Amino acid sequence: PTMMRGLDASLKTSAAVVLAVAGAVVTWSVFTRKKRSRLPHLGSWIPYVGHGPAFFSASCVFCQRNKEKFGGNFSATIFGSQWIFLYNKEDIKSAMRAPEKHVSMYIAISRIAGNFFPQEDNREYKTPEIKAKLYRGSSPTHWDGVSTTPHIAQSMRSRKLRAWVPSLRKLLTTSFAALPDSGEIDVFKWCSDVVGAITIVAIFGDAVPQNKVKEFVKLFEEAEIDRGFSDPLMSLGTMFDVAVYGERQIYRQIRELIYPVLDKEIENVIAGAKELDDEPAMTSFVHSWFQIGNRDPTMLRAARRRIANDCLFFTFAATANSFANAAWLLFHVCRNTRGTGDRIREELERVKVIDDVDMLPELEKAILEITRLYNPGQSLRQLQQSWVMPSTGEEIPAGCMVCIPVFDAHRDPLLFADPLEFDPQRFDTNGRDERSNGLFLGFGAGVHPCTGRKFAVLETSLLVSEALKSFEWELVDDDTRLEDPFTQASINVPRHPRLNPAQPNSIFRPLDPVRIRYKRK
């Protein structure tokens, strides 16, 4: 009898726990249903988590599958928030053009990935007032530790880019001279190394000795945010660093390399050095922060870590896409996809010396098309106030996350003719320039265009043009390569290298090496 009474009590306790959990699930479902829009909703039996794992593990597949399921816009619960996925043209335009204070890109990125960017350290400010003054002067739309747009825009002015060309070309000449007269390369690895070096020179100039450039490049490659989540072990390491140290430890290593160069530049500016057009981006950052601090040396020195973080963020943005852009461009030139190789080579025969990216329209069109066709990312916004969807007139409440799947928008036949074809001529300004429809999102759009677009086009154009002038290139086709369903459904190019559906953002990198045979001219 005693055993039976104990068993009965245990069963009653278990039943009570089950009922409590069931009640919590029902309550949560009812509560969240009240806040939902009238959009088709992707249901989930997992409270709070919702479809978070499915989205973040393979966002391209998740968005594509549910677009086919619902036929357009839909909503889903992702880690406690209601996400609105937009596919309607007018809805996308409205969200992208809305003011930052109403529909925020900065807050959206901060919520999703802010902890994985380089962070501030309040101990570096002597007083809270100094930090407050710096922040008031920089931008109303920022999060701790991450660059603010005005500083990058300041360093990306056209005349500065033109002034950088000779030093960048010199670096390319040195890089090419280091290659044997003939051989084979993995074009993505090679482009990654070269573009990394170009970016280091653009940011730091001659302040980084040649024997240190490779060390900088290697660390910046390892610090790339995507790489921090490239496999389960790396993900655990990244999460551990953030939880214990407040940021990834590799950022500290890079700042320790930057500080000697940066400290010297800070003192030069305080001493009255003028900013010249051919000086590197870091110098522009220092001058901008000096102006923000009302030319107060104490304020500028206090901004030391912020400036170093600006350099980090600039490097991530510049290298993450440019090297893959250059590699895919060389791939399509070698394949002569839709005559791309012929047109670019003819253009390079006409233009002997490149001083400005506007001199190479065929090359730029190919870069834009790669950015359209090889972009797996999403454009995120958080609603800071209610927003009315133009397509239905429905009011979406503040706090919702708006997600624009760029991968799908760039493959919508209503927006781009023959969207799976690699066709740079779709960006021909003498014909049908499809950027004018407002749905080309490769370099941002609306109130948040990419301030580094011209630099990205410049370094990609310089690398590819100088490579084609210096070497003969031939694609080494891999007859054993098997095309997978995702790649076949994503791009209409026969025997194309496999794409990774789990890649979250940046230009696609292939799953397998892409080898190119070269011979010096």
Side-chain angles (χ1 to χ4, degrees), residues 199-226:
T199 305
I200 295 301
V201 170
I203 294 175
F204 302 106
D206 295 334
V208 176
Q210 284 296 315
N211 62 347
K212 284 281 187 180
V213 169
K214 285 187 177 181
E215 183 180 355
F216 270 73
V217 171
K218 184 175 183 296
L219 279 174
F220 276 114
E221 286 178 353
E222 291 176 3
E224 187 185 354
I225 293 172
D226 282 0

Side-chain angles (χ1 to χ4, degrees), residues 328-488:
W328 285 123
L329 188 47
L330 285 170
F331 168 82
H332 284 289
V333 166
C334 290
R335 274 280 182 90
N336 198 26
T337 311
R338 295 177 74 99
T340 298
D342 290 340
R343 285 191 296 272
I344 289 176
R345 285 190 171 98
E346 289 171 8
E347 182 173 70
L348 294 176
E349 284 295 318
R350 296 194 304 271
V351 182
K352 299 300 182 183
V353 180
I354 303 166
D355 294 317
D356 196 314
V357 294
D358 294 334
M359 301 169 67
L360 299 171
E362 291 297 332
L363 201 55
E364 183 174 4
K365 284 185 287 187
I367 292 170
L368 293 174
E369 179 66 346
I370 288 167
T371 307
R372 180 193 73 85
L373 198 56
Y374 290 88
N375 192 329
Q378 299 80 37
S379 186
L380 301 178
R381 303 288 188 271
Q382 178 169 299
L383 300 183
Q384 299 303 100
Q385 63 180 41
S386 60
W387 170 69
V388 176
M389 292 176 59
S391 64
T392 62
E394 181 180 355
E395 184 174 315
I396 307 298
C400 289
M401 188 74 77
V402 171
C403 178
I404 300 162
V406 176
F407 179 85
D408 291 317
H410 284 174
R411 283 167 173 72
D412 189 335
L414 298 177
L415 307 176
F416 295 94
D418 301 320
L420 300 187
E421 299 291 335
F422 179 81
D423 181 15
Q425 298 311 300
R426 73 175 72 249
F427 292 105
D428 190 348
T429 53
N430 295 319
R432 48 192 179 92
D433 182 355
E434 299 200 31
R435 283 172 289 179
S436 62
N437 65 23
L439 268 299
F440 174 66
L441 308 173
F443 288 102
V447 299
H448 289 295
C450 176
T451 55
R453 173 187 172 276
K454 285 193 173 183
F455 177 68
V457 173
L458 172 66
E459 63 178 349
T460 304
S461 298
L462 272 176
L463 170 55
V464 172
S465 61
E466 295 297 321
L468 291 175
K469 288 180 178 181
S470 302
F471 299 96
E472 298 288 349
W473 298 90
E474 179 187 7
L475 189 66
V476 180
D477 278 326
D478 182 359
D479 293 330
T480 65
R481 182 185 294 133
L482 297 176
E483 292 182 334
D484 65 297
F486 176 77
T487 304
Q488 289 177 317

